[in-house]
Amino acid sequence: MNIPLSQPDITDAEIDAVVSVMRSSRLSIGPSQQEFESLFASYIGVAHAVAVSSGTAGLHLALLALGIGPQDEVIVPSFTFIAAVNAIRYVGADPIFIDIELQTMNLNPALIEAAISARTRAIVVVHTFGLPAEMDSILAIARRHNLFVIEDACEAIGAEYRGKKAGSFGDAAVFAFYPNKQITTGEGGMVLTPHARIERELRALRNQGRYESDDWLQHSIIGYNYRLSEIACAIGAVQMKRIESILGSRKSVAEKYHRRLAGDRRIELPPNTIAGCSISWFVYVIRLHNRYSRLHRDAVLDALGLAGIGCARYFAPVHLQPAYAGLKRMQHLPVSESVGERTIALPFYNHLSDADIDYVYDQLKRALDGLE
């Protein structure tokens, strides 16, 4: 068996769209970009969408456009992909880590206010694994303390919180389209904002510092080459037209895993339902019961790998990463650290078959039996 951890869902429609762009005279900043941005903004329900070269680039530009820089602090969960924290460091600001809730694995709103200082400018909210964070509480705190809110929705396209799409709450929101995401453009990202002023800054920053009124060799601010190609945008536009089908397929796979894995007390399943929320399934991450250690988890990963099953640990907390060992304000984050030692991402993609799910469970059970 050889079951990958993830697999993109590309059809003839995406291939035809790429061919059409290749036969045109516009490979950058053209009609496909406009279409992709328009479809995305409409789907999320936010006025402005700006396509960029990656989710990481989007996080970087969102922070820049909001004026966050040296001497500022940004609150962020440690249990996340490292890009959310790296972008804070790109602008010279300091990440202030807070712990997560055990059930949702999202940042714990009850811990935010204790982390706020006179230097705090923003909260980066990560919708972990496609489950929306508790936005009402977070937004109320942000309003009380005059803080920006940036949604890292890179894992959460289509997720909903109290009837609104993830990515529609903050001053800016960022999505990503790496091949393991719900929709993909190969590489790519999107920044959304309700603010016309922020959109203007984002468009200039992604395009070498040119405002739309500038000519090609006039650069009003220092910017970056964070554009997304017409080829990638064409793929993204087709994927957006298929988004509901894609999300439905992923939900079906998650439900099959739930039915197959339910009842095994050695593992904790990801939440299937949360009141007021609709989950967008990005990955399927289980965690071992808390009687097991990181060494047990690693033994299970090794056994699954030897059986030809793609799997991974999600996530190693950022504050424990070597790159962040020198932070001044380090703290113990017990939930992040405990969860980070026991998580396992199982193979998860749109067309994962019932037989593959059965095989994954059989091999997982065998690996867990070996721990006893």
Side-chain angles (χ1 to χ4, degrees), residues 5-6 105 129-130 180 250-262 267-272 279-287 310-314 343-349 352 357 360-361 364:
L5 177 60
S6 64
M105 292 184 278
F129 304 150
N180 67 343
R250 299 176 79 88
K251 181 179 180 181
S252 176
V253 171
E255 289 172 346
K256 290 174 183 177
Y257 263 131
H258 263 71
R259 289 194 295 268
R260 194 68 179 89
L261 301 180
I267 57 176
E268 303 282 345
L269 301 186
N272 195 23
I279 301 168
S280 173
W281 286 95
F282 162 52
V283 286
Y284 194 89
V285 176
I286 63 171
R287 64 179 186 269
C311 52
R313 54 178 186 156
Y314 268 64
T343 53
I344 299 174
L346 299 176
F348 190 78
Y349 44 92
L352 189 65
I357 291 171
V360 169
Y361 175 68
L364 175 62

Side-chain angles (χ1 to χ4, degrees), residues 84-95:
V85 185
N86 285 347
I88 296 169
R89 298 299 297 137
Y90 293 166
V91 301
D94 293 323

Side-chain angles (χ1 to χ4, degrees), residues 75-280:
I75 291 172
V76 64
S78 176
F79 187 78
T80 184
F81 185 57
I82 199 169
V85 185
N86 285 347
I88 296 169
R89 298 299 297 137
Y90 293 166
V91 301
D94 293 323
I96 304 300
F97 295 114
I98 63 170
D99 214 345
I100 58 173
E101 299 172 318
L102 180 60
Q103 182 185 21
T104 67
M105 292 184 278
N106 285 322
L107 81 173
N108 188 338
L111 303 177
I112 292 176
E113 287 196 282
I116 294 172
S117 75
R119 294 170 53 201
T120 307
R121 294 284 311 286
I123 304 169
V124 172
V125 182
V126 181
H127 301 302
T128 309
F129 304 150
L131 175 61
E134 179 52 55
M135 293 307 302
D136 283 350
S137 299
I138 294 166
L139 291 170
I141 294 167
R143 284 192 293 268
R144 282 199 298 272
H145 295 274
N146 196 30
L147 303 178
F148 293 118
V149 172
I150 299 171
E151 293 179 76
D152 180 340
C154 291
E155 303 171 1
I157 182 173
E160 294 186 1
Y161 175 84
R162 302 193 187 282
K164 290 182 61 180
K165 290 284 196 299
S168 66
F169 295 91
D171 297 286
V174 181
F175 293 81
F177 313 124
Y178 189 71
N180 67 343
K181 297 297 193 294
Q182 291 92 325
I183 70 166
T184 185
T185 59
E187 294 277 3
M190 191 77 73
V191 189
L192 276 69
T193 180
H195 309 300
R197 178 185 65 82
I198 300 302
E199 180 209 18
R200 181 172 182 265
E201 293 300 308
L202 290 167
R203 291 193 183 281
L205 286 164
R206 78 164 175 192
N207 191 24
Q208 299 289 13
R210 305 178 186 98
Y211 290 110
E212 293 187 348
S213 58
D214 293 337
D215 67 36
W216 189 250
L217 294 179
Q218 178 173 315
H219 308 271
S220 296
I221 58 174
I222 295 173
Y224 304 84
N225 181 0
Y226 281 170
R227 298 183 297 267
L228 188 61
S229 75
E230 280 289 281
I231 293 170
C233 288
I235 297 171
V238 174
Q239 294 255 297
M240 284 302 299
K241 294 170 185 175
R242 301 174 50 221
I243 183 68
E244 294 304 336
S245 172
I246 288 171
L247 295 179
S249 294
R250 299 176 79 88
K251 181 179 180 181
S252 176
V253 171
E255 289 172 346
K256 290 174 183 177
Y257 263 131
H258 263 71
R259 289 194 295 268
R260 194 68 179 89
L261 301 180
D264 193 324
R265 297 182 180 274
R266 296 170 296 184
I267 57 176
E268 303 282 345
L269 301 186
N272 195 23
T273 57
I274 295 289
C277 293
S278 174
I279 301 168
S280 173

